[in-house]
Amino acid sequence: MQAVRIAGAGSTPFGVSSERTGRDLFGEAARIAIDDSGVPRADIDRLCYGNFVGTVTERQGHQGPLMAAAAGVTAPATRYESACASGGVALKSAAEAVRSGAVDVVLVGGMERMHNVTTERATEGLAMAADDLYESRAGVTFPGAYALMARAYFAEFGGTRADLAAVAVKNHRNALGNETAQFQREISPTDVLEAPTVADPLGLYDACPITDGASACVLVSESYAAAHDLNAPVEITGAGQGTDSLALQQRESLTRTPATTRAATTAYDEAEITPADIDLLEVHDCFTIAEVLALEGLRLYDPGAAIDAAAAGETTADGDLPVNLSGGLKAKGHPVGATGVSQVVELTKLLRGDHVNSDAVPDATVALAHNAGGTVASATVHVLEVCA
Amino acid sequence: MRAQREDGYDDLLDALADEDGYYYACPAGHGSLPPQQVCPTCGDDELTTEPLADTGTVVTFTEIAVPSPSFSGQTPVVVIADFGPVRLTGRFVDDSDRLEVGCSVTPTVASSPEGNRHVGARFASER
Ligand SMILES: [Zn+2]
């Protein structure tokens, strides 16, 4: 068993890059991460790469070898696909490869390019994360599925659109000054509540944007980091993954996300921590309600209790448990296949002290990244700790 | 309509059209929907076909303002209704003004503008 260190991390700017190809975007993220790590390209043993709808938006399959070349790497390269959790599962696989001792250096990353197609086509691509027979054919879209979960949550536990608006307002505020974030501007609760409806009860500002972008990290074994005198103070101490029924109708509850709980339980056990040890976290807020479900699934809040966490200031930058200091998917952006890795890029910088929001968490030593696919039929959780 | 039928799924739609819906049950009582070789919950391969209740209770719904290309120009309403051992996701085909959580609905078959069939739902009282 080898401890897994993060030697380098980087992302492209997130936003609208319709004219940049996927290989160009990933090539940039990989270059930033490799430069940040100081690891020679020839030492990279493997590329684990996440991407969701590249076969639709760029009509490009077999992206592993393409992205290896974009990164200037000749190592074995594989594309991972688990919808919006594609980056998270690529990361888990990369961390396992280093932890097991099979390899010493892995380049892990992800990319999504969506603005080169129409919003309708992008929406259709994202809906492929749902059950084709029993959901998509009946008209369920990705926002529609989360709207179904949000209304079920309100019916079971209470809560209002204003509670959800506080999540969006918080995450936009956190993105101020984050130079790679898609939306670096504040919004008001009124902006959220008066935005056009996407799928009631969710409006446009309850939803993360469509984003082009890429992220990458260089993971190395502790022995490699020591032998090469690398500055790699952040360690991945726990990794977990959970699976649930693809279709909402097959689940016991529409307001619980057991895939998140399963992933978290594995990651907490591996890292030998409890939820109370976590200083900050990035969660998968593809919609405002998703942040609420994530905090409850991670056992940081009881079921029904996280709905007003943002409104009460508990999860804001100056709260007891800052959530999505990067801006989250909501404001940082959600380049689908890259998101799981981008969360770890942000957390690595937050823990190292070179993030614009590092001052909000000066003494933080334990961070968590939560990435979810579809309506959380897939989830990954990674625990990051600063080495003593 | 799609040229290609799909075993299990289209059979269930045919049955729903005849108001004769069904689901699969395993010995432990887990419900599931076709096609399914084994129980998705416990893996038991002794699945029996059981009649679907005539009415179910709406547990959630949404009106989708930004639809998928299949429903371009429309605002489809989707419900998930509880039928006891199984839940069904269906497109709501009645006027949704009075739709709320707890309403009683009947499963049916609906079609997209292109003629693609899927599970539908309507008010139980308006059968
Ligand atoms: Zn069973």
Side-chain angles (χ1 to χ4, degrees), chain A residues 119-121 123-124 127 132-141 143-145 147-152 155 197-201 248-254, chain B residues 2 6 8-9 12 31-35 40-41 59-69 71-72 76 78-80 87-91 101 117-119:
Chain A
T119 300
E120 238 187 17
R121 187 131 175 88
T123 300
E124 187 181 28
D132 174 48
L133 295 182
Y134 284 105
E135 295 183 321
S136 302
R137 290 188 193 188
V140 177
T141 57
L148 290 167
M149 296 169 90
R151 178 162 273 128
T197 300
V198 176
D200 75 318
L248 287 172
Q249 66 185 14
Q250 191 65 38
R251 298 185 192 169
E252 211 164 295
S253 167
L254 296 174
Chain B
R2 292 192 316 277
E6 282 159 322
Y9 177 71
L12 176 63
S32 60
L33 294 161
T41 305
V59 290
T60 188
F61 67 93
T62 182
E63 179 173 349
I64 296 170
V66 182
S68 63
F71 295 94
S72 192
V78 175
V79 306
I80 298 180
R87 287 176 175 158
L88 274 177
T89 304
R91 190 165 63 79
V101 171
R117 299 194 308 165
H118 49 267
V119 176

Side-chain angles (χ1 to χ4, degrees), chain A:
Chain A
M1 291 273 282
Q2 278 279 359
V4 183
R5 298 289 190 87
I6 301 170
S11 296
T12 65
F14 286 0
V16 182
S17 310
S18 340
E19 296 180 2
R20 292 190 68 185
T21 59
R23 65 191 83 185
D24 182 28
L25 289 167
F26 185 71
E28 179 183 346
R31 185 171 52 73
I32 297 168
I34 293 168
D35 287 353
D36 185 45
S37 73
V39 172
R41 280 180 170 72
D43 282 5
I44 294 173
D45 299 307
R46 192 174 291 189
L47 168 61
C48 298
Y49 166 80
N51 173 259
F52 178 31
V53 291
T55 50
V56 174
T57 60
E58 292 197 299
R59 299 190 182 282
Q60 180 66 64
H62 207 174
Q63 293 195 13
L66 182 71
M67 297 309 169
V73 169
T74 52
T78 306
R79 171 193 168 204
Y80 290 76
E81 190 275 301
S82 286
C84 319
S86 299
V89 297
L91 183 71
K92 179 162 178 291
S93 195
E96 281 171 350
V98 173
R99 180 181 301 274
S100 71
V103 296
D104 277 316
V105 183
V106 179
L107 176 64
V108 58
M111 182 285 299
E112 211 71 59
R113 179 191 185 200
M114 302 190 73
H115 278 104
N116 59 320
V117 298
T118 62
T119 300
E120 238 187 17
R121 187 131 175 88
T123 300
E124 187 181 28
L126 292 173
M128 287 180 186
D131 184 320
D132 174 48
L133 295 182
Y134 284 105
E135 295 183 321
S136 302
R137 290 188 193 188
V140 177
T141 57
F142 188 42
Y146 272 93
L148 290 167
M149 296 169 90
R151 178 162 273 128
Y153 188 101
F154 288 167
E156 184 172 346
F157 299 119
T160 63
R161 287 201 62 216
D163 291 326
L164 296 181
V167 175
V169 170
K170 166 181 74 71
N171 291 349
H172 268 260
R173 187 173 298 145
N174 286 345
L176 289 175
N178 183 352
E179 57 185 15
T180 59
Q182 184 162 358
F183 298 132
Q184 298 170 46
R185 62 182 167 83
E186 289 204 68
I187 58 171
S188 71
T190 308
D191 292 334
V192 184
L193 294 172
E194 292 182 355
T197 300
V198 176
D200 75 318
L202 302 180
L204 188 62
Y205 282 20
D206 286 293
C208 68
I210 289 174
T211 306
D212 305 320
S215 294
C217 289
V218 177
L219 307 188
V220 300
S221 64
E222 189 168 40
S223 57
Y224 181 96
H228 296 81
D229 203 21
L230 297 181
N231 176 31
V234 179
E235 179 178 342
I236 298 177
T237 56
Q241 183 177 350
T243 296
D244 198 3
S245 303
L246 188 61
L248 287 172
Q249 66 185 14
Q250 191 65 38
R251 298 185 192 169
E252 211 164 295
S253 167
L254 296 174
T255 60
R256 309 279 179 97
T257 51
T260 291
T261 308
R262 290 180 195 123
T265 301
T266 304
Y268 294 160
D269 289 352
E270 200 169 281
E272 299 180 348
I273 65 161
T274 69
D277 294 323
I278 297 164
D279 296 317
L280 72 157
L281 65 163
E282 293 282 310
V283 304
H284 196 92
D285 61 324
C286 49
F287 296 92
T288 48
I289 185 68
E291 179 166 314
V292 175
L293 297 173
L295 293 175
E296 295 174 8
L298 292 166
R299 291 192 274 119
L300 291 159
Y301 285 83
D302 290 334
I307 183 71
D308 58 358
E314 294 161 9
T315 53
T316 50
D318 58 355
D320 286 343
L321 185 66
V323 175
N324 286 327
L325 277 174
S326 70
L329 280 62
K330 176 72 192 83
K332 168 173 56 71
H334 180 28
V336 183
T339 286
V341 179
S342 81
Q343 295 172 320
V344 170
V345 170
E346 299 287 332
L347 289 172
T348 299
K349 293 179 178 178
L350 282 158
L351 290 173
R352 291 194 310 207
D354 57 330
H355 191 284
V356 67
N357 283 334
S358 286
D359 288 348
V361 284
D363 304 317
T365 57
V366 182
L368 178 144
H370 164 261
N371 186 203
T375 49
V376 205
S378 291
T380 63
V381 169
H382 288 86
V383 175
L384 275 55
E385 296 187 60
V386 178
C387 302

Side-chain angles (χ1 to χ4, degrees), chain B residues 26 30 39 42:
Chain B
C26 79
H30 303 130
C39 172
C42 70

